[in-house]
Amino acid sequence: MPIYKAPVDDALFLLNDVFHIEHYGNLPGFSDASPDVVEAVLREAAKFSEEVLTPLNRVGDKEGCKRAADGSVTTPKGFKDAYKQIVEGGWIGISVPADFGGQGLPATMTVMVNEFFCSANMAFAMYPGLTQGAIAALLVHASDALKAKYLPKMVEGAWTGTMNLTEPHCGTDLGLLRSKAVKQADGSYKVSGTKIFISAGEHDLSQNIIHLVLARIEGAPAGTKGISLFVVPKIMVNDDGSLGAPNAVSCGSIEEKMGIHGNSTCVMNYDGAIGWLIGEENRGLNAMFTMMNEARLGVGVQGLALSEVAYQNAAAYAKERLQGRSISGVKYPDKAADPIIVHPDVRRALMSMRAFNEAARALVMWTALKSDVAHRSDDQKERTSADDHMGLLTPVIKGVLTDGGFANAVMAQQIFGGHGYIAEHGMEQFVRDARIAQIYEGANGIQALDLVGRKLGKDGGRAIMAFFNEVQTYLKERADSDAMNVYLKPLGQSLAHLQQASMWFMQNAMAKPDNAGAGSYDYMHLFGLVALGYMWCKIAEAALAKLPKANGSAAVLNAKLVTARFFMERMLPETATRLARIQAGAASTMELPDDAF
Amino acid sequence: MPIYKAPVDDALFLLNDVFHIEHYGNLPGFSDASPDVVEAVLREAAKFSEEVLTPLNRVGDKEGCKRAADGSVTTPKGFKDAYKQIVEGGWIGISVPADFGGQGLPATMTVMVNEFFCSANMAFAMYPGLTQGAIAALLVHASDALKAKYLPKMVEGAWTGTMNLTEPHCGTDLGLLRSKAVKQADGSYKVSGTKIFISAGEHDLSQNIIHLVLARIEGAPAGTKGISLFVVPKIMVNDDGSLGAPNAVSCGSIEEKMGIHGNSTCVMNYDGAIGWLIGEENRGLNAMFTMMNEARLGVGVQGLALSEVAYQNAAAYAKERLQGRSISGVKYPDKAADPIIVHPDVRRALMSMRAFNEAARALVMWTALKSDVAHRSDDQKERTSADDHMGLLTPVIKGVLTDGGFANAVMAQQIFGGHGYIAEHGMEQFVRDARIAQIYEGANGIQALDLVGRKLGKDGGRAIMAFFNEVQTYLKERADSDAMNVYLKPLGQSLAHLQQASMWFMQNAMAKPDNAGAGSYDYMHLFGLVALGYMWCKIAEAALAKLPKANGSAAVLNAKLVTARFFMERMLPETATRLARIQAGAASTMELPDDAF
């Protein structure tokens, strides 16, 4: 059975020593997030993740969800009980305004807690996670009446939420959407159509399921400009809040898929189901987009979460599995063989994973804090700047952290050798589960296009210029620090690569957009490496500052410095290759006729 | 259901135009391999792969193998029938000497045929594939009596073979092996122990199963020097060749694993099973090692095979799936959207896969031909040189082609978006199946160590110097060719990177072996890139030579040139990053104490 220990101390180090959460004290909710409260919440989330969710991870994979002939779906053994504890703990609403039953704490807290939940049991964590997504959409776009009707129960967790976008013939290109909505005399709509890949579409965890559904109102324009968003409850809700008759929506089947078996991925059939418009007619995509940054950040966190738990299991196995002897001389003469952690190639893999994880966690936290600023600050300039950051970094986090999460799950599995390929240790499940995060919520190729095609040029390049400026200023201000030089110099080189790549797009992609498309994926990863490198500089700086007064934490802080060096020496140099690929342009990529493939 | 079309024409182009099989006409068996025969064999193998094995691939995955309470194992529906056709076609023995019932054709033919079989159905192809491995071991090391008793039936396919190395506590480090053998008065041995991860260990395809088992003879030295190899039949074979009583060997369970479900991966229990020594006492590892190059080459072929079939399916889907519009303007105005192959990022993925596949196939064929020379030439110098090549290139092929095979299966799956994550299209199966090839037959980290730790320095570096010399001479002789310059220049740069990395090891790894271990994985991939780049030069040269007289094949030859350029521009630049990582040395990799992980 896989092990998991939530990285509470690392999260606290980042919050307190790297990002100085106390500087955010003026934002609503942050004054409640005193150091004591933050630590208590994280320790409680850790305990629940380690003791309740982790043991259910393999169970969920093995049993999966089962659909009965009547369309009802049963979740794996133990999920119902665990979900009850989610409700009792109030976990869904920790960052939701108190008006709707939440605790109003920073959204950053939810992001951190969700990392733990996902590491322990990604398939399970999606049930509350999707509910949080639906809550976010309703909060921003729904009428007060709809909010009052649905939010409190969703925040409590008594009802869960879903997102219904994809149809068999359209996923990325929602303009092709066919589901339709017909307006009724009472202002409601009858929604009809088939939606696929609907996570948590039907299950037995909650009393009701609130579906958010994209559909086209009769007579609406074709394409993306004729799409509206509806709230469609599984069971009708009476005016007094009690549950009424079932709505005309049902689960047609459960998808047979590669992983996240504990989550029910459904084909949902809407057959004149009654729904209500969220926001304005034909502005459904807009409503979806405003919550997309948070949702994509959440998927990036899944990548980090699986990388972290896979790493922990690989590290434990590497210390325990005896095989061969160190090439630099026997290290454990009392044992039949040395544990495989003595082998440099095993170390290389472990160091690569931790160098990714710790910086990725920082990148997530930095951006989550920006999200709090963007939503809660009363300073317009600060809000805009934070929003720019979110827009720019979100596709990077989604794409790079999920690619890295999958690659690291594979790397961790490799450390187990043949034992990683069989189900017993749970390593192959991490690989299968991690894979979906690269695909859903906008496949990673779409993230790269979003970054290069939309975010770079937006507002005259304001966001990317601000990012460059921040990192450059950071480097300049520390140029005289001998202790930091070993981290700053490589970052400076890689930042230059990113700047050259950006410049290359400006000069070569206007006339020939294919040059941007062909280089977008490499650009996303080049950006990710620079962002992670920047995080390592900040982490190293905080560690150096804390070391003189370290009480027993010196080993942890020193490990940060070594890992930062590893990142700079071993991982950051990849930016050169990424730049070379981008500068190669689109010619050889696009030259062959379609039928040559 | 996945599609598959065996790349017969590409194989013939490589054999005839790139590697000029006619130059090998002096080797035994090659005179029989006339162009007509070669093409006929390949077309027959293609037909069988496409029509019989491909439709069984998803069936095998879905049904898996089932073990009954009596230890017998049932293979998936259709496997028995397909296996009967393997026997009838004489596929197992096409390269085995006629003395034992084979056809004596070049081993290169078997390698090519096996690529097709593995693309179509890897789990199935392992049954005949493992039998070929066992045959190879018996051919070289067994006594004439054992050969006469077992080989004809195995070559025919009436009996299959297995390899029993791994035990629960030892895989890579066979010195820890515990299975034991006790000599009997009649010269036989009683073999006892538990073996795990035994592919095709028990099944219903053949009348008998011939296990090759590593065990320690009572009183033998500890470690690797006390291991012997035994042949242990599932059912005893009488002197007249008829089958006798069951031997004391049984399948204890079938492993629950990530993929290759159609192949039975067994825990095998030997409980005083009667076996016979193959080769000399305590020289069992030696006997295994002589067949290791072929076995590892075969696993490398699995990587290529899965990359090829995954690519084919992704290309077909990309031409068919309508989603979005080209960023350079609508390409298919008559359709609701453009097929996704118009998008540069989808192209990038498709081109990356084919640039890998076509060069990987060349690398495999080049090395398979060397294997034929090493085994069949009567010129000692030629044999030694071919053997050097095999030793050097085998770990590269195994490691790089299986890493690439997996990465490309993932890349192909990504093109399907959410549809790749569900079982229907078979893409996630390719990913799960491809994963094992990176692990078994020596995990890829072990291949890297074999390359850097053993092969580089062997015989004073004779093999690597010969490789450098060959590529350098090739480059020099063509230095004036304008047409080739676009391919030669990047190869020259990357060759220099490889030479610098080799030099760095010479200067830095003697005193500190960790420097070799920490850089070994990157070195293996650096080597692989150079080898694939060299193959692309040879392919491009052959295409250029053939173009003037191309009859209808101009499009295919032009596609080769474009793909070669893509490889040079987009994939080969990675060598710079690999070199940088190697030159970073082991310091930050090894600095942390074990308990910091």
Side-chain angles (χ1 to χ4, degrees), chain A residues 303-314:
Chain A
L304 161 62
L306 284 178
S307 178
E308 172 67 35
V309 69
Y311 162 77
Q312 289 189 16
N313 281 274

Side-chain angles (χ1 to χ4, degrees), chain B residues 17-18 24 70 138 161 225 229 245 338 353-354 375 422 463 536 544 555:
Chain B
D17 298 295
V18 178
Y24 296 80
D70 65 356
L138 290 167
K225 289 181 178 146
L229 181 63
D338 284 338
M353 289 185 257
R354 68 187 284 166
H375 288 110
I422 59 172
W536 268 120
L544 285 168

